[in-house]
Amino acid sequence: MENILVDAEGHVLLTDFGLSIDLNDGIPESGGKLAGTMEYFSPECIDEDLPYGLASDWWSVGILTHELLTGQSPFAGGDYDKDIITNRILNQQPDLDHELHEAPLDFIVRLLQKNATDRLGFENGAQDLKDHVWFKGIDWNLLTHKVYPAPIKFDFVDKYDVCHFDNTFTSTSLMSFENSSDDKQTIEGMKLEVI
């Protein structure tokens, strides 16, 4: 969840699309499937014999939704060994928190279908997710334009205030990274800024 940020008004931003591929250009012959965080891989990302496509992203949305609601990955189970996680993804049902309310649980279950063609989002993409009963009453246009007030409002002293960041990130010297002398001069002048 390190790639989900919250802006100064409390709205969510997604970052780090460095490993993204444009499926309109086709699936790369090699090196295009296994990139990213293992816990979010869909079965078709792991098994090279399965067709890969946009439905893999919907699987990741299911994993992320479960993590956001419960704090737990449905496949990691405390183990971060690649082989254990891939075996669980391919051969076991997700370990879901069945105490979740019916609508979000249904949303997650429908996203975590091992067969991509059965997965929510396979037929009509994001529209399938937006039409799910869990999101009944949401005007997606208003949400996109940040008309809805964010549920959390942060107070900042100024745009350089990092009091809401984990100090693991704010106490590490940028100079501790190995850089050339030119890079060090650039890094020295950088400041974290609230957007």
Side-chain angles (χ1 to χ4, degrees), residues 40-52:
Y40 292 85
F41 286 179
S42 65
E44 60 270 21
C45 284
I46 297 168
D47 186 340
E48 294 182 8
D49 293 330
L50 296 174
Y52 173 86

Side-chain angles (χ1 to χ4, degrees), residues 133-149:
V133 67
W134 191 29
F135 300 116
K136 183 179 180 182
I138 291 180
D139 182 321
W140 291 94
N141 188 46
L142 295 178
L143 184 68
T144 300
H145 290 93
K146 300 180 181 180
V147 174
Y148 288 125

Side-chain angles (χ1 to χ4, degrees), residues 120-137:
L120 185 65
F122 181 80
E123 290 186 23
N124 300 304
Q127 194 59 51
D128 287 345
L129 281 70
K130 291 177 181 180
D131 291 342
H132 190 273
V133 67
W134 191 29
F135 300 116
K136 183 179 180 182

Side-chain angles (χ1 to χ4, degrees), residues 23-87:
L23 290 178
N24 291 322
D25 295 336
I27 303 299
E29 290 296 320
S30 63
K33 288 183 92 171
L34 286 180
T37 305
M38 180 62 62
E39 295 171 60
Y40 292 85
F41 286 179
S42 65
E44 60 270 21
C45 284
I46 297 168
D47 186 340
E48 294 182 8
D49 293 330
L50 296 174
Y52 173 86
L54 290 174
S56 292
D57 289 337
W58 303 131
W59 172 278
S60 298
V61 169
I63 300 289
L64 177 63
T65 302
H66 190 271
E67 279 195 43
L68 288 171
L69 295 175
T70 69
Q72 301 294 321
S73 167
F75 289 103
D79 295 307
Y80 294 97
D81 179 88
K82 174 184 172 185
D83 294 331
I84 292 172
I85 294 173
T86 57
N87 180 58

Side-chain angles (χ1 to χ4, degrees), residues 162 165-174 176 192:
V162 292
F165 287 74
D166 185 309
N167 70 2
T168 302
F169 301 106
T170 59
S171 64
T172 303
S173 168
L174 291 174
S176 66
L192 289 173

